[in-house]
Amino acid sequence: MAKKIGLRRTLGLLEVTISGVGIILGAGIYALIGEAAGLAGNAVWISFALSALIALLTGLSYAELASMFPKAAAEYEYTSQAFGGFLAFLVGWMIIFSGVVGAATVSLGFAGYFQALTGTPILPSAIALLAVLSLVLLFGITHSTRLAIVLTTVEALGLVLVIYMGIPYLGSVDLLEMSPLGSAGILQASALIFFAFIGFEEIVKLSEEAKDPEINIPRGLVLAISASIILYILVAISAVSVLGWEELSCSSAPFSDIARYALGPNASAIISIMALFATTNTVLLMLLASSRIIYGMASSGSLPPILASVHPRTHAPWIATILSMIIAMSFVFLEDIAFVANVNNFTVFVTFIVINAVLISLRYKKPQIARPFRVPISLGKLAVLPVLGILFNLLMLIQLETRVMAIGLGLGGLGALAALISMRYIRSDIKKLIKNSISSRDQG
């Protein structure tokens, strides 16, 4: 019998953390800060702080679960342990769409900056980026993470540059001034800008390619969230200090306009190039993460086995990678970056509610499982912070507009149908296995 080809464990704590920082930093701060400022006004930094709190609460739940079950299927595996196959499949389905819709969103952000530099139309640029990065992923995890480290360094420098440009302007605007939407705008901006924090949960999907995953995955996750929170809030304050929320909200390449105003046209070109690096990095890592959960679910038998195919030379799940690219390209055609981001946010909020519930459930159902990392603060077996995570994610969910809810529920409905079909075939395979086993025993 041929030996099954698996994933390689090549990632240490540094690579895991940098991958997490990279996917978080480029996910929305470069692309969505203008849209968020239009909702929240100069107080947009409060929206970032609120989103950061929600990310941290759920991130701690991910850290404990990743230390218990270091599997590439991640959310699918966790939910299966607590609530069974049907809900696990549905969560895995939503996470797949979170990754590919997220990649589509950030590719549109890339295209906006690319258009500012070259005048190239947005749609072809976004599609070309998805195609090129999918090709990079097909060469394997080692090449992908090396590229991610380079891109992360550049995008972090870009954010530091924005903070630096804002220092002379600090105090020039009222940082508590809201848009005409008032506090409702703060909440709506938080729901939108939460996309900028999405990515920390993708770290757990590297569990089968990380060294000592029970330790390095939780540590990398917490380190990545912490670094991103600090940078985001400082960048938000600097951005509104330089341009003010009204002008910022009208920009399709916000950091480019900040650099042009603060330092002149040459600086604008430099920051635009850095934004291209940042958004490229995030698309790369989102495609990486979505392909890994497709691979993980296929390996467990919940998706067609062909999707678990691993290339014998590069050790990349090549069919899952190509499928992720195709789905992401289909969402690019919506073109409205804020709308696509909020569709992604719907899938994420629903998933995070379930993940926090999973942790609460497993504290009661399976207290005997080793937990190298444990979420602090409990009342008996009840974990308090995941309860707060559920409540805050529900608060964000109800901020989304009706048409976003409609598409999100539609994706969920398709996932439920796919789950029923999948479970039917799994039960059929089990019956055949039992029947063959009995037949073999009788013949013996």
Side-chain angles (χ1 to χ4, degrees):
M1 178 181 278
K3 183 179 179 181
K4 182 181 178 182
I5 301 171
L7 305 179
R8 285 180 180 154
R9 293 195 181 278
T10 61
L11 308 179
L13 177 61
L14 176 64
E15 291 86 356
V16 170
T17 303
I18 289 178
S19 293
V21 171
I23 197 171
I24 295 171
L25 290 187
I29 190 72
Y30 279 87
L32 293 172
I33 190 169
E35 300 277 355
L39 294 169
N42 290 334
V44 67
W45 66 273
I46 299 177
S47 298
F48 275 94
L50 180 57
S51 293
L53 174 62
I54 299 168
L56 189 58
L57 289 172
T58 304
L60 290 172
S61 293
Y62 267 98
E64 179 170 326
L65 292 168
S67 74
M68 296 167 66
F69 310 109
K71 301 290 185 181
E75 291 92 345
Y76 174 83
E77 177 70 22
Y78 311 154
T79 310
S80 179
Q81 293 284 340
F83 300 127
F86 178 82
L87 188 56
F89 184 99
L90 190 55
V91 166
W93 177 273
M94 298 296 271
I95 283 294
I96 289 170
F97 275 95
S98 171
V100 294
V101 176
T105 304
V106 184
S107 69
L108 288 170
F110 168 93
Y113 281 99
F114 196 67
Q115 185 182 53
L117 279 173
T118 67
T120 306
I122 284 179
L123 195 58
S125 299
I127 291 174
L129 179 69
L130 290 168
V132 170
L133 293 182
S134 296
L135 183 62
V136 171
L137 290 174
L138 291 174
F139 280 97
I141 187 68
T142 301
H143 293 86
S144 301
T145 51
R146 285 174 182 170
L147 177 59
I149 287 172
V150 174
L151 295 174
T152 297
T153 302
V154 174
E155 70 179 309
L157 287 174
L159 294 181
V160 171
L161 180 58
V162 171
I163 294 169
Y164 170 77
M165 288 187 292
I167 291 175
Y169 295 89
L170 293 178
S172 62
V173 299
D174 179 5
L175 292 175
L176 297 178
E177 179 188 351
M178 301 180 189
S179 75
L181 295 172
S183 58
I186 295 287
L187 291 175
Q188 290 172 26
S190 294
L192 172 62
I193 210 64
F194 190 78
F195 183 84
F197 285 95
I198 291 172
F200 66 84
E201 77 284 0
E202 309 294 1
I203 299 173
V204 301
K205 298 175 186 64
L206 300 176
S207 292
E208 291 186 32
E209 292 160 286
K211 303 170 185 175
D212 301 319
E214 298 87 351
I215 303 299
N216 286 332
I217 294 296
R219 286 180 179 176
L221 195 155
V222 173
L223 287 172
I225 293 176
S226 301
S228 302
I229 288 172
I230 294 169
L231 280 171
Y232 274 175
I233 293 177
L234 291 177
V235 166
I237 291 173
S238 292
V240 294
S241 295
V242 174
L243 284 186
W245 71 269
E246 296 96 337
E247 189 171 349
L248 191 63
S249 67
C250 298
S251 175
S252 62
F255 286 176
S256 176
D257 289 342
I258 290 169
R260 182 181 295 107
Y261 184 88
L263 301 177
N266 291 335
S268 173
I270 292 172
I271 203 72
S272 291
I273 292 170
M274 287 182 165
L276 294 180
F277 277 87
T279 47
T280 296
N281 192 30
T282 298
V283 174
L284 173 71
L285 292 169
M286 284 188 161
L287 289 173
L288 170 67
S290 59
S291 67
R292 266 44 181 186
I293 194 165
I294 291 173
Y295 162 83
M297 290 178 67
S299 297
S300 69
S302 295
L303 288 174
I306 192 172
L307 295 176
S309 300
V310 175
H311 194 279
R313 184 171 63 84
T314 65
H315 289 256
W318 65 280
I319 295 181
T321 299
I322 293 172
L323 179 61
S324 296
M325 176 193 71
I326 292 171
I327 300 173
M329 285 181 174
S330 68
F331 278 92
V332 163
F333 285 93
L334 292 175
E335 292 194 64
D336 183 342
I337 188 171
F339 178 70
V340 178
N342 274 327
V343 170
N344 181 80
N345 285 345
F346 177 93
T347 67
V348 171
F349 292 142
V350 171
T351 301
F352 286 0
I353 289 168
V354 174
I355 290 301
N356 282 299
V358 164
L359 187 137
I360 294 169
S361 173
L362 289 177
R363 286 283 186 94
Y364 289 91
K365 289 183 176 180
K366 300 184 179 182
Q368 76 282 1
I369 296 179
R371 291 166 167 82
F373 179 90
R374 193 177 183 89
V375 175
I377 308 176
S378 298
L379 296 175
K381 290 184 178 180
L382 178 63
V384 174
L385 297 186
V387 174
L388 295 177
I390 291 172
L391 295 176
F392 278 116
N393 277 288
L394 280 171
L395 177 63
M396 293 295 100
L397 188 62
I398 63 176
Q399 305 305 315
L400 302 178
E401 59 181 304
T402 305
R403 61 180 184 144
V404 170
M405 290 278 202
I407 290 181
L409 291 172
L411 290 175
L414 288 174
L417 180 61
L420 291 172
I421 294 171
S422 173
M423 292 182 70
R424 178 181 177 183
Y425 279 107
I426 289 173
R427 284 195 295 268
S428 176
D429 289 343
I430 291 172
K431 288 178 181 179
K432 288 179 182 178
L433 184 63
I434 294 172
K435 183 178 179 180
N436 290 338
S437 176
I438 293 173
S439 176
S440 298
R441 186 190 63 189
D442 292 343
Q443 289 176 6

